[in-house]
Amino acid sequence: MVFVGALIIFPLAWTLYLSLTDAEGSVRAESEFIGFANYLEVLSDTDRFWPAVLRTFGFTGVALFFEVVLGMAVALLLWRPFRGEKWVRVAILMPLVATPVAVGMMWRLIFDPNIGMANQLLGWFGIGPQPWLAGQHSALPTTIFIDVWQWTPMVVLILLAGLTSLSNEPDEAARVDGANAWQRFRHITLPLLMPTVIVAILLRGIDALKTFDILYATKGRGGGSFHEVETLNVYAYGLSFDYNEYGVSSTVLIIFFLIIIGSMWALTSRRKKGAR
């Protein structure tokens, strides 16, 4: 535990130290302690930082909503045994096998405006080509779709595990009383499953906040020419490796870390209240 703790504490402490200096060019270059000047600079940046914050929460919120809703629907379909159940489960879990970078490159080819399969399929239905990842306003929704495609199976696994652990007695009693499928789900299954739903939201939400590989693989530096998919992770990466502004980048990462801790605390508190 001491070894693992050191691996966690040292990078955080070093990043915090860099955020209080004017380090740039090289981490080995001499730097001066400037206090909270970097924090004031970052928090007053309305051109890149705050739009990146909004994109981070927008990406996470929309992706998480669809992943939980679709994950719940698929988990309910897989809850009861049926013919070919094993093959369906294998097919649903396939996106989890590939790495996010490979997934991003695959969908980048599919959504290519000129040779991509997506526009060819739209052409069969008489719909004109769409910019998808190349569009300034369509790039973020497209990357959200890619994230939902890959990570919904993870939510399915968590919720399916929760469903299989539920007792059948409350559902059978409600069925005898004449409750329909929607009523049984709303008043019995969902309340009993809520602690598991909170766990799924907690795990997937924190992971979605930190999404980087899919965004970088599909749009590259800066989240695109107009920073259309630039989240806090992409923004901090650009500051570090494109501009070598390690002090400012460390400041963004510390703020991002506090945002993640705050989100985790809020979801954990909600889970404890739900358990009570």
Side-chain angles (χ1 to χ4, degrees):
M1 291 184 63
V2 172
F3 176 72
V4 174
L7 289 179
I8 297 174
I9 294 174
F10 176 76
L12 288 176
W14 180 249
T15 303
L16 179 62
Y17 166 74
L18 287 178
S19 70
L20 301 174
T21 68
D22 61 351
E24 60 180 355
S26 172
V27 292
R28 295 185 177 181
E30 294 185 3
S31 57
E32 296 182 2
F33 183 83
I34 58 175
F36 293 97
N38 286 331
Y39 289 88
L40 296 176
E41 177 184 348
V42 169
L43 293 175
S44 61
D45 181 9
T46 58
D47 294 330
R48 298 283 294 275
F49 176 75
W50 287 111
V53 172
L54 294 177
R55 291 189 201 97
T56 301
F57 280 101
F59 178 93
T60 302
V62 176
L64 189 60
F65 171 79
F66 283 104
E67 287 166 7
V68 172
V69 172
L70 293 176
M72 177 67 74
V74 175
L76 289 173
L77 290 174
L78 297 178
W79 187 17
R80 307 301 183 186
F82 57 90
R83 188 175 182 180
E85 174 187 2
K86 294 181 180 180
W87 295 106
V88 173
R89 290 191 180 190
V90 170
I92 290 176
L93 297 179
M94 285 291 288
L96 288 178
V97 177
T99 61
V101 173
V103 169
M105 296 303 297
M106 177 188 71
W107 283 103
R108 184 175 179 179
L109 292 174
I110 293 175
F111 286 129
D112 187 276
N114 300 316
I115 62 173
M117 185 184 302
N119 279 339
Q120 294 181 9
L121 292 175
L122 292 180
W124 294 350
F125 297 97
I127 303 176
Q130 303 297 319
W132 302 113
L133 290 168
Q136 183 176 353
H137 301 291
S138 61
L140 188 60
T142 304
T143 54
I144 291 174
F145 168 81
I146 297 173
D147 189 83
V148 171
W149 178 86
Q150 182 173 26
W151 294 109
T152 296
M154 173 184 172
V155 180
V156 172
L157 284 176
I158 298 173
L159 297 183
L160 188 58
L163 286 171
T164 54
S165 66
L166 297 181
S167 174
N168 293 327
E169 294 179 359
D171 186 77
E172 293 175 355
R175 191 190 301 269
V176 171
D177 291 339
N180 57 36
W182 169 250
Q183 291 172 334
R184 297 197 306 272
F185 169 75
R186 179 181 178 184
H187 298 290
I188 297 177
T189 304
L190 186 58
L192 292 175
L193 191 64
M194 189 54 65
T196 306
V197 174
I198 298 299
V199 170
I201 293 175
L202 178 65
L203 295 178
R204 183 63 205 124
I206 293 175
D207 200 34
L209 277 172
K210 301 183 297 181
T211 300
F212 171 80
D213 29 27
I214 288 179
L215 301 177
Y216 197 83
T218 53
K219 294 298 295 180
R221 293 183 177 181
S225 302
F226 298 96
H227 313 296
E228 52 266 30
V229 300
E230 185 181 63
T231 59
L232 285 175
N233 252 344
V234 178
Y235 179 48
Y237 180 89
L239 288 173
S240 294
F241 297 99
D242 294 338
Y243 302 105
N244 296 330
E245 297 182 6
Y246 300 109
V248 180
S249 173
S250 299
T251 303
V252 174
L253 290 175
I254 291 296
I255 296 175
F256 191 26
F257 175 76
L258 294 176
I259 290 174
I260 294 175
I261 293 296
S263 302
M264 184 171 60
W265 176 82
L267 289 173
T268 303
S269 300
R270 177 67 181 86
R271 180 192 176 190
K272 291 181 179 178
K273 291 180 181 179
R276 294 175 183 174

